[in-house]
Amino acid sequence: MASPAGRPRSPRARDVRWRGALAVLEEMRREPGVTRAAVARRLGLSTGSATEITARLRDLRLLAETPVAAAGRGRPTTALTPHPDGPLVIAVDLRQEDWRCAVAPLDGRPEVAAAGTHHSRDPARVAGTVGRAVRDLHRRHGDRVVGVSVAIAATVRHGRVVQSSVLGWDAVDLAALAPDPRLPLLIGNDATLAGLAEARRGVAAGAATVLHITVEVGVGGTLVVDGRPVDGAGGAGGEFGHLPFGDPGLRCPCGARGCWDLEVDGRAIARHLGDPPPADPRSYAERVLARAPADPAARAAVGAAARGLAGGIAGLVNALDPAVVTLGGLAESLRAAAEPEFGRTLAGGLMRFRRADPPAVVAAALGRDGPLHGAVVTALDHVLTEAGLAAWAAHRSPA
Amino acid sequence: MASPAGRPRSPRARDVRWRGALAVLEEMRREPGVTRAAVARRLGLSTGSATEITARLRDLRLLAETPVAAAGRGRPTTALTPHPDGPLVIAVDLRQEDWRCAVAPLDGRPEVAAAGTHHSRDPARVAGTVGRAVRDLHRRHGDRVVGVSVAIAATVRHGRVVQSSVLGWDAVDLAALAPDPRLPLLIGNDATLAGLAEARRGVAAGAATVLHITVEVGVGGTLVVDGRPVDGAGGAGGEFGHLPFGDPGLRCPCGARGCWDLEVDGRAIARHLGDPPPADPRSYAERVLARAPADPAARAAVGAAARGLAGGIAGLVNALDPAVVTLGGLAESLRAAAEPEFGRTLAGGLMRFRRADPPAVVAAALGRDGPLHGAVVTALDHVLTEAGLAAWAAHRSPA
DNA sequence: CGATTAAACTCGTGCCACGAGCATAAAGGA
DNA sequence: TCCTTTATGCTCGTGGCACGAGTTTAATCG
């Protein structure tokens, strides 16, 4: 198989080695269980190329082919699936009070393998617990593991946690989560990753420009263009909650004034109801939402928050022109609870020429699994590159 | 040179035909006048590949090599320049009262070839005048012309002008500007294109995430990520002026309320001075800026507008995390005239963790040539693709 | 004017994808 | 049951791009 006469090529920047193979793997990922024939058709590959590429990928333990129930006449084709001994990524979702670890093969479907709760505000202890779970999975799967990706309810910049009001953390180094320093460790904001997941695998799959907005404590989200989050120079984009859409008289814990955050979440609802600022704005908001159908004051407060949400979204639509807006967390609950106000305010905030053709505003499909799916997406984005495949091929040469 | 035995390859999606050639042409474009040796080093090409690629491109009239003054010992290399009979793009900048047409070769340096003024509010007449100039250039350069790109002071969506308050136009079809229906005609917003030009060739060249903000009548601009403007599903992104950063009591001509537009331009200055709304907010603002150094009331009004500008920029930095912010048009004038207020408000509007490492805020370098340069950039982005080169090679086979 | 140096040119080779022709595995019909 | 139809997979010769070692070329330096 290796070069019989000359020496093997050294890898080069302009190299073409993995082009076809990558395209095939991306198709498998985009639509788990596609058949080989369908992939070849879609990519415009000749049957000869398809044969060669799949054979190569099988030898490298990157995919397997499973027979598929015959669909009409003709020679039956096979379904492309991740190789049973192929690469895996570990995804972690670290939330306010709990965490989950999952493992996913190249088709990007995570399987939760460990979970737990944490009530500690001590970052080191939490990182220790989660790190043990990750190391455990790494031991179990050996060098099949090619990356670790963490979704966390925190502001992340240059791969480091900068702060988290939800977790009550300041800057924290999560390098301890990597079971092996040679493994890439990716850290991402949970709302950004949830938006990424919606754009790639959720309701907005296929749309080129997707705006994801979620409300938990404050507003988060991301713009996803062509499947990649627009997260800025340091990856700390998507902090939409700190756009000054709100009352300039209100000071935000972030240090600025008039932040949108303060107009939308449980803190806004408490203000409208004349309640003191809630310790946990998220659960406070849920309680008010629950009693809103029967309680006019609660309903009015929810309506005000929904208007605050819709007005900001309208502005972002004006500025960013997304094809779809996806709503996660309390954002969807607020809209559902106060649909009339939400719809009116959204339409009224759009520039006139946009009103004829506004973007669809839809509920996120992945729910609380969004961040976990997003973590898998980013991890696989690293694996499914020329460099990633070359590294895999290097330490696992063909049988 | 063509296949001696087999038949020529048909083009395919996974084809590799233009990979190296495109990389070389992009280098020539990025740094006009680079030497062939430098390009080969940068791209990691062997000298053999460099020889072959340049020969191929020379045969296709895509580049020429000119001897270069010897720089030290060794065999002298050559500079890569656009071929004297190579492809050209036509760029148009259509502004409030005047227009310019330029021609640019593959190095992306436009040369203005025609210009004029228009005081008509009749879109058809303006399009007629400019269209004649374009057709004239097309006749002069024949089939060397491979694209036409227009920068216009208007909202553009899906390649069509939707409205322009500056020009006083409603929806207008500019298809008449194309001298030949087979030529690609690209229409873009002037502020978006100016931002693109700054990010690719101006002060922000090299930065991965650039936020460009310009003020003329209202606020425009764009976010540019990895050299591509983030302009949304229909290309109508960048309308930052219609983010609701302002007084919700003010109604904007766009149909929404509280638009940032109204806090920043000549209309805002007039409000602060108690003047009636100016007919031409741009020249009104310039007059007030001119007398601000000597006139405390004018200075205060300018300061208020500068604060409105800086507060909004701070919010956008929070949300988008750019590495650089470039200021064009009156935005730079406002900052320069009211530096203290601008700086204070900008810093105060940033989230606390960003204050330690804020983005550089710099004046745009290309000035009024920005939109023209941006139009050239988009046109060449279309030419310098596999499809673009294949089309060029098809109708001009090698000598 | 030869030594040195940087770069260009030549040429044999590997690798990927193509595509025509052949082989194969199912369904459908006689 | 057997032949036909249909869709697919496999084999193999070919083209095209880039590599890289060896050679040539055009400059400067001593």
mmCIF file of all heavy atoms in Angstrom, chain C residues 9-22:
data_model
loop_
_atom_site.group_PDB
_atom_site.id
_atom_site.type_symbol
_atom_site.label_atom_id
_atom_site.label_comp_id
_atom_site.label_asym_id
_atom_site.label_seq_id
_atom_site.Cartn_x
_atom_site.Cartn_y
_atom_site.Cartn_z
ATOM 1 P P DC C 9 12.132 29.352 -14.449
ATOM 2 O OP1 DC C 9 11.989 30.051 -15.743
ATOM 3 O OP2 DC C 9 10.962 29.064 -13.608
ATOM 4 O "O5'" DC C 9 12.903 27.980 -14.708
ATOM 5 C "C5'" DC C 9 14.128 27.993 -15.435
ATOM 6 C "C4'" DC C 9 14.570 26.564 -15.679
ATOM 7 O "O4'" DC C 9 15.007 25.996 -14.429
ATOM 8 C "C3'" DC C 9 13.477 25.639 -16.207
ATOM 9 O "O3'" DC C 9 13.997 24.929 -17.320
ATOM 10 C "C2'" DC C 9 13.156 24.726 -15.030
ATOM 11 C "C1'" DC C 9 14.479 24.701 -14.281
ATOM 12 N N1 DC C 9 14.383 24.454 -12.816
ATOM 13 C C2 DC C 9 15.070 23.388 -12.250
ATOM 14 O O2 DC C 9 15.739 22.651 -12.986
ATOM 15 N N3 DC C 9 14.990 23.178 -10.910
ATOM 16 C C4 DC C 9 14.257 24.003 -10.149
ATOM 17 N N4 DC C 9 14.218 23.762 -8.843
ATOM 18 C C5 DC C 9 13.568 25.104 -10.704
ATOM 19 C C6 DC C 9 13.639 25.299 -12.032
ATOM 20 P P DT C 10 13.130 23.842 -18.125
ATOM 21 O OP1 DT C 10 13.581 23.894 -19.517
ATOM 22 O OP2 DT C 10 11.705 24.046 -17.782
ATOM 23 O "O5'" DT C 10 13.591 22.466 -17.481
ATOM 24 C "C5'" DT C 10 14.977 22.185 -17.357
ATOM 25 C "C4'" DT C 10 15.176 20.725 -16.998
ATOM 26 O "O4'" DT C 10 15.125 20.563 -15.558
ATOM 27 C "C3'" DT C 10 14.136 19.771 -17.571
ATOM 28 O "O3'" DT C 10 14.803 18.593 -18.013
ATOM 29 C "C2'" DT C 10 13.210 19.491 -16.398
ATOM 30 C "C1'" DT C 10 14.176 19.568 -15.217
ATOM 31 N N1 DT C 10 13.584 19.992 -13.910
ATOM 32 C C2 DT C 10 13.942 19.326 -12.767
ATOM 33 O O2 DT C 10 14.711 18.388 -12.759
ATOM 34 N N3 DT C 10 13.370 19.808 -11.619
ATOM 35 C C4 DT C 10 12.485 20.873 -11.518
ATOM 36 O O4 DT C 10 12.041 21.220 -10.427
ATOM 37 C C5 DT C 10 12.151 21.528 -12.744
ATOM 38 C C7 DT C 10 11.202 22.686 -12.747
ATOM 39 C C6 DT C 10 12.710 21.060 -13.878
ATOM 40 P P DC C 11 13.993 17.482 -18.819
ATOM 41 O OP1 DC C 11 14.940 16.934 -19.806
ATOM 42 O OP2 DC C 11 12.676 18.007 -19.245
ATOM 43 O "O5'" DC C 11 13.742 16.364 -17.707
ATOM 44 C "C5'" DC C 11 14.810 16.011 -16.821
ATOM 45 C "C4'" DC C 11 14.270 15.052 -15.771
ATOM 46 O "O4'" DC C 11 13.735 15.794 -14.657
ATOM 47 C "C3'" DC C 11 13.134 14.157 -16.275
ATOM 48 O "O3'" DC C 11 13.264 12.892 -15.669
ATOM 49 C "C2'" DC C 11 11.903 14.864 -15.746
ATOM 50 C "C1'" DC C 11 12.438 15.315 -14.383
ATOM 51 N N1 DC C 11 11.660 16.392 -13.737
ATOM 52 C C2 DC C 11 11.646 16.476 -12.333
ATOM 53 O O2 DC C 11 12.288 15.651 -11.685
ATOM 54 N N3 DC C 11 10.935 17.458 -11.738
ATOM 55 C C4 DC C 11 10.259 18.336 -12.484
ATOM 56 N N4 DC C 11 9.581 19.287 -11.857
ATOM 57 C C5 DC C 11 10.265 18.267 -13.914
ATOM 58 C C6 DC C 11 10.979 17.287 -14.495
ATOM 59 P P DG C 12 12.821 11.588 -16.501
ATOM 60 O OP1 DG C 12 13.984 11.165 -17.293
ATOM 61 O OP2 DG C 12 11.523 11.842 -17.163
ATOM 62 O "O5'" DG C 12 12.596 10.531 -15.341
ATOM 63 C "C5'" DG C 12 13.591 10.380 -14.318
ATOM 64 C "C4'" DG C 12 12.920 10.148 -12.982
ATOM 65 O "O4'" DG C 12 12.322 11.385 -12.513
ATOM 66 C "C3'" DG C 12 11.796 9.117 -13.011
ATOM 67 O "O3'" DG C 12 11.878 8.330 -11.839
ATOM 68 C "C2'" DG C 12 10.535 9.982 -13.024
ATOM 69 C "C1'" DG C 12 10.985 11.125 -12.125
ATOM 70 N N9 DG C 12 10.221 12.352 -12.283
ATOM 71 C C8 DG C 12 9.838 12.958 -13.456
ATOM 72 N N7 DG C 12 9.166 14.060 -13.268
ATOM 73 C C5 DG C 12 9.101 14.196 -11.884
ATOM 74 C C6 DG C 12 8.504 15.194 -11.082
ATOM 75 O O6 DG C 12 7.896 16.202 -11.451
ATOM 76 N N1 DG C 12 8.681 14.927 -9.726
ATOM 77 C C2 DG C 12 9.339 13.850 -9.215
ATOM 78 N N2 DG C 12 9.406 13.759 -7.886
ATOM 79 N N3 DG C 12 9.911 12.910 -9.941
ATOM 80 C C4 DG C 12 9.750 13.147 -11.268
ATOM 81 P P DT C 13 10.944 7.106 -11.589
ATOM 82 O OP1 DT C 13 11.751 6.041 -10.995
ATOM 83 O OP2 DT C 13 10.150 6.888 -12.827
ATOM 84 O "O5'" DT C 13 9.951 7.656 -10.468
ATOM 85 C "C5'" DT C 13 10.482 8.048 -9.194
ATOM 86 C "C4'" DT C 13 9.344 8.532 -8.336
ATOM 87 O "O4'" DT C 13 8.903 9.825 -8.817
ATOM 88 C "C3'" DT C 13 8.123 7.618 -8.352
ATOM 89 O "O3'" DT C 13 7.874 7.139 -7.045
ATOM 90 C "C2'" DT C 13 7.002 8.491 -8.880
ATOM 91 C "C1'" DT C 13 7.515 9.907 -8.640
ATOM 92 N N1 DT C 13 6.988 10.914 -9.593
ATOM 93 C C2 DT C 13 6.405 12.048 -9.102
ATOM 94 O O2 DT C 13 6.304 12.282 -7.919
ATOM 95 N N3 DT C 13 5.929 12.899 -10.038
ATOM 96 C C4 DT C 13 5.989 12.744 -11.421
ATOM 97 O O4 DT C 13 5.526 13.583 -12.182
ATOM 98 C C5 DT C 13 6.618 11.529 -11.874
ATOM 99 C C7 DT C 13 6.723 11.249 -13.350
ATOM 100 C C6 DT C 13 7.084 10.677 -10.949
ATOM 101 P P DG C 14 6.644 6.175 -6.770
ATOM 102 O OP1 DG C 14 7.112 5.098 -5.890
ATOM 103 O OP2 DG C 14 5.971 5.849 -8.054
ATOM 104 O "O5'" DG C 14 5.693 7.131 -5.942
ATOM 105 C "C5'" DG C 14 6.249 7.963 -4.915
ATOM 106 C "C4'" DG C 14 5.129 8.721 -4.228
ATOM 107 O "O4'" DG C 14 4.719 9.830 -5.057
ATOM 108 C "C3'" DG C 14 3.874 7.893 -3.979
ATOM 109 O "O3'" DG C 14 3.295 8.316 -2.753
ATOM 110 C "C2'" DG C 14 2.998 8.231 -5.181
ATOM 111 C "C1'" DG C 14 3.373 9.685 -5.457
ATOM 112 N N9 DG C 14 3.301 10.055 -6.869
ATOM 113 C C8 DG C 14 3.770 9.334 -7.925
ATOM 114 N N7 DG C 14 3.580 9.928 -9.080
ATOM 115 C C5 DG C 14 2.949 11.112 -8.749
ATOM 116 C C6 DG C 14 2.497 12.172 -9.581
ATOM 117 O O6 DG C 14 2.565 12.265 -10.801
ATOM 118 N N1 DG C 14 1.909 13.195 -8.834
ATOM 119 C C2 DG C 14 1.784 13.186 -7.473
ATOM 120 N N2 DG C 14 1.193 14.244 -6.924
ATOM 121 N N3 DG C 14 2.205 12.208 -6.680
ATOM 122 C C4 DG C 14 2.779 11.208 -7.394
ATOM 123 P P DC C 15 2.047 7.529 -2.157
ATOM 124 O OP1 DC C 15 2.277 7.501 -0.701
ATOM 125 O OP2 DC C 15 1.843 6.287 -2.935
ATOM 126 O "O5'" DC C 15 0.817 8.483 -2.461
ATOM 127 C "C5'" DC C 15 0.888 9.858 -2.111
ATOM 128 C "C4'" DC C 15 -0.322 10.558 -2.646
ATOM 129 O "O4'" DC C 15 -0.106 10.866 -4.041
ATOM 130 C "C3'" DC C 15 -1.592 9.702 -2.584
ATOM 131 O "O3'" DC C 15 -2.616 10.438 -1.966
ATOM 132 C "C2'" DC C 15 -1.896 9.383 -4.041
ATOM 133 C "C1'" DC C 15 -1.268 10.564 -4.771
ATOM 134 N N1 DC C 15 -0.859 10.280 -6.166
ATOM 135 C C2 DC C 15 -1.178 11.196 -7.171
ATOM 136 O O2 DC C 15 -1.765 12.230 -6.861
ATOM 137 N N3 DC C 15 -0.810 10.929 -8.444
ATOM 138 C C4 DC C 15 -0.154 9.808 -8.731
ATOM 139 N N4 DC C 15 0.188 9.586 -9.998
ATOM 140 C C5 DC C 15 0.179 8.846 -7.716
ATOM 141 C C6 DC C 15 -0.190 9.124 -6.458
ATOM 142 P P DC C 16 -3.931 9.761 -1.468
ATOM 143 O OP1 DC C 16 -4.116 10.126 -0.056
ATOM 144 O OP2 DC C 16 -3.903 8.350 -1.891
ATOM 145 O "O5'" DC C 16 -5.027 10.504 -2.327
ATOM 146 C "C5'" DC C 16 -5.056 11.929 -2.358
ATOM 147 C "C4'" DC C 16 -5.850 12.351 -3.567
ATOM 148 O "O4'" DC C 16 -5.088 12.034 -4.746
ATOM 149 C "C3'" DC C 16 -7.174 11.621 -3.681
ATOM 150 O "O3'" DC C 16 -8.232 12.562 -3.668
ATOM 151 C "C2'" DC C 16 -7.092 10.860 -5.000
ATOM 152 C "C1'" DC C 16 -5.972 11.584 -5.753
ATOM 153 N N1 DC C 16 -5.210 10.704 -6.674
ATOM 154 C C2 DC C 16 -5.089 11.064 -8.013
ATOM 155 O O2 DC C 16 -5.627 12.104 -8.394
ATOM 156 N N3 DC C 16 -4.400 10.257 -8.852
ATOM 157 C C4 DC C 16 -3.838 9.141 -8.381
ATOM 158 N N4 DC C 16 -3.165 8.379 -9.235
ATOM 159 C C5 DC C 16 -3.945 8.764 -7.017
ATOM 160 C C6 DC C 16 -4.635 9.567 -6.199
ATOM 161 P P DA C 17 -9.731 12.124 -3.438
ATOM 162 O OP1 DA C 17 -10.393 13.153 -2.643
ATOM 163 O OP2 DA C 17 -9.731 10.711 -3.021
ATOM 164 O "O5'" DA C 17 -10.331 12.177 -4.914
ATOM 165 C "C5'" DA C 17 -10.323 13.413 -5.604
ATOM 166 C "C4'" DA C 17 -10.504 13.166 -7.078
ATOM 167 O "O4'" DA C 17 -9.392 12.386 -7.553
ATOM 168 C "C3'" DA C 17 -11.763 12.366 -7.411
ATOM 169 O "O3'" DA C 17 -12.608 13.176 -8.217
ATOM 170 C "C2'" DA C 17 -11.252 11.128 -8.144
ATOM 171 C "C1'" DA C 17 -9.848 11.525 -8.564
ATOM 172 N N9 DA C 17 -8.937 10.383 -8.629
ATOM 173 C C8 DA C 17 -8.576 9.562 -7.593
ATOM 174 N N7 DA C 17 -7.737 8.607 -7.937
ATOM 175 C C5 DA C 17 -7.539 8.817 -9.291
ATOM 176 C C6 DA C 17 -6.762 8.145 -10.241
ATOM 177 N N6 DA C 17 -6.009 7.083 -9.964
ATOM 178 N N1 DA C 17 -6.793 8.619 -11.516
ATOM 179 C C2 DA C 17 -7.541 9.683 -11.788
ATOM 180 N N3 DA C 17 -8.317 10.413 -10.974
ATOM 181 C C4 DA C 17 -8.266 9.913 -9.725
ATOM 182 P P DC C 18 -13.952 12.637 -8.827
ATOM 183 O OP1 DC C 18 -14.838 13.805 -8.973
ATOM 184 O OP2 DC C 18 -14.391 11.445 -8.078
ATOM 185 O "O5'" DC C 18 -13.522 12.165 -10.291
ATOM 186 C "C5'" DC C 18 -12.833 13.080 -11.108
ATOM 187 C "C4'" DC C 18 -12.544 12.452 -12.452
ATOM 188 O "O4'" DC C 18 -11.520 11.448 -12.295
ATOM 189 C "C3'" DC C 18 -13.745 11.766 -13.081
ATOM 190 O "O3'" DC C 18 -13.915 12.265 -14.392
ATOM 191 C "C2'" DC C 18 -13.390 10.275 -13.075
ATOM 192 C "C1'" DC C 18 -11.874 10.292 -13.027
ATOM 193 N N1 DC C 18 -11.281 9.141 -12.288
ATOM 194 C C2 DC C 18 -10.426 8.260 -12.964
ATOM 195 O O2 DC C 18 -10.196 8.457 -14.159
ATOM 196 N N3 DC C 18 -9.875 7.228 -12.290
ATOM 197 C C4 DC C 18 -10.139 7.068 -10.994
ATOM 198 N N4 DC C 18 -9.574 6.043 -10.358
ATOM 199 C C5 DC C 18 -11.008 7.960 -10.282
ATOM 200 C C6 DC C 18 -11.547 8.975 -10.965
ATOM 201 P P DG C 19 -15.353 12.209 -15.084
ATOM 202 O OP1 DG C 19 -15.364 13.304 -16.075
ATOM 203 O OP2 DG C 19 -16.387 12.088 -14.062
ATOM 204 O "O5'" DG C 19 -15.287 10.827 -15.876
ATOM 205 C "C5'" DG C 19 -14.258 10.618 -16.823
ATOM 206 C "C4'" DG C 19 -14.286 9.181 -17.284
ATOM 207 O "O4'" DG C 19 -13.600 8.355 -16.321
ATOM 208 C "C3'" DG C 19 -15.694 8.595 -17.415
ATOM 209 O "O3'" DG C 19 -15.681 7.674 -18.485
ATOM 210 C "C2'" DG C 19 -15.851 7.853 -16.104
ATOM 211 C "C1'" DG C 19 -14.451 7.274 -15.973
ATOM 212 N N9 DG C 19 -14.098 6.818 -14.642
ATOM 213 C C8 DG C 19 -14.618 7.227 -13.440
ATOM 214 N N7 DG C 19 -14.091 6.618 -12.414
ATOM 215 C C5 DG C 19 -13.160 5.759 -12.974
ATOM 216 C C6 DG C 19 -12.278 4.834 -12.369
ATOM 217 O O6 DG C 19 -12.138 4.598 -11.169
ATOM 218 N N1 DG C 19 -11.498 4.162 -13.314
ATOM 219 C C2 DG C 19 -11.576 4.353 -14.678
ATOM 220 N N2 DG C 19 -10.761 3.621 -15.425
ATOM 221 N N3 DG C 19 -12.399 5.212 -15.263
ATOM 222 C C4 DG C 19 -13.155 5.877 -14.348
ATOM 223 P P DA C 20 -16.871 7.647 -19.527
ATOM 224 O OP1 DA C 20 -16.755 8.856 -20.364
ATOM 225 O OP2 DA C 20 -18.139 7.343 -18.835
ATOM 226 O "O5'" DA C 20 -16.461 6.376 -20.384
ATOM 227 C "C5'" DA C 20 -15.081 6.185 -20.721
ATOM 228 C "C4'" DA C 20 -14.753 4.703 -20.728
ATOM 229 O "O4'" DA C 20 -14.367 4.285 -19.393
ATOM 230 C "C3'" DA C 20 -15.907 3.795 -21.138
ATOM 231 O "O3'" DA C 20 -15.408 2.742 -21.951
ATOM 232 C "C2'" DA C 20 -16.438 3.275 -19.808
ATOM 233 C "C1'" DA C 20 -15.163 3.197 -18.975
ATOM 234 N N9 DA C 20 -15.380 3.344 -17.536
ATOM 235 C C8 DA C 20 -16.254 4.191 -16.921
ATOM 236 N N7 DA C 20 -16.219 4.111 -15.610
ATOM 237 C C5 DA C 20 -15.263 3.151 -15.349
ATOM 238 C C6 DA C 20 -14.756 2.604 -14.150
ATOM 239 N N6 DA C 20 -15.173 2.986 -12.946
ATOM 240 N N1 DA C 20 -13.808 1.653 -14.250
ATOM 241 C C2 DA C 20 -13.400 1.280 -15.470
ATOM 242 N N3 DA C 20 -13.784 1.723 -16.668
ATOM 243 C C4 DA C 20 -14.741 2.666 -16.537
ATOM 244 P P DG C 21 -16.405 1.696 -22.621
ATOM 245 O OP1 DG C 21 -15.950 1.524 -24.011
ATOM 246 O OP2 DG C 21 -17.801 2.081 -22.333
ATOM 247 O "O5'" DG C 21 -16.095 0.355 -21.819
ATOM 248 C "C5'" DG C 21 -14.736 0.002 -21.546
ATOM 249 C "C4'" DG C 21 -14.719 -1.152 -20.571
ATOM 250 O "O4'" DG C 21 -14.921 -0.646 -19.225
ATOM 251 C "C3'" DG C 21 -15.836 -2.189 -20.814
ATOM 252 O "O3'" DG C 21 -15.282 -3.488 -20.711
ATOM 253 C "C2'" DG C 21 -16.833 -1.891 -19.703
ATOM 254 C "C1'" DG C 21 -15.888 -1.434 -18.574
ATOM 255 N N9 DG C 21 -16.527 -0.644 -17.540
ATOM 256 C C8 DG C 21 -17.452 0.373 -17.694
ATOM 257 N N7 DG C 21 -17.844 0.894 -16.563
ATOM 258 C C5 DG C 21 -17.130 0.182 -15.598
ATOM 259 C C6 DG C 21 -17.135 0.293 -14.188
ATOM 260 O O6 DG C 21 -17.781 1.072 -13.486
ATOM 261 N N1 DG C 21 -16.258 -0.627 -13.602
ATOM 262 C C2 DG C 21 -15.499 -1.526 -14.289
ATOM 263 N N2 DG C 21 -14.737 -2.331 -13.553
ATOM 264 N N3 DG C 21 -15.481 -1.654 -15.605
ATOM 265 C C4 DG C 21 -16.318 -0.765 -16.188
ATOM 266 P P DC C 22 -16.183 -4.775 -20.970
ATOM 267 O OP1 DC C 22 -15.386 -5.695 -21.806
ATOM 268 O OP2 DC C 22 -17.557 -4.378 -21.351
ATOM 269 O "O5'" DC C 22 -16.240 -5.403 -19.500
ATOM 270 C "C5'" DC C 22 -15.013 -5.593 -18.787
ATOM 271 C "C4'" DC C 22 -15.332 -5.989 -17.358
ATOM 272 O "O4'" DC C 22 -15.906 -4.858 -16.659
ATOM 273 C "C3'" DC C 22 -16.344 -7.137 -17.238
ATOM 274 O "O3'" DC C 22 -15.800 -8.124 -16.372
ATOM 275 C "C2'" DC C 22 -17.588 -6.464 -16.668
ATOM 276 C "C1'" DC C 22 -16.979 -5.311 -15.865
ATOM 277 N N1 DC C 22 -17.902 -4.161 -15.647
ATOM 278 C C2 DC C 22 -18.116 -3.704 -14.351
ATOM 279 O O2 DC C 22 -17.524 -4.259 -13.415
ATOM 280 N N3 DC C 22 -18.959 -2.663 -14.138
ATOM 281 C C4 DC C 22 -19.576 -2.086 -15.169
ATOM 282 N N4 DC C 22 -20.395 -1.063 -14.925
ATOM 283 C C5 DC C 22 -19.366 -2.542 -16.524
ATOM 284 C C6 DC C 22 -18.532 -3.570 -16.712
#
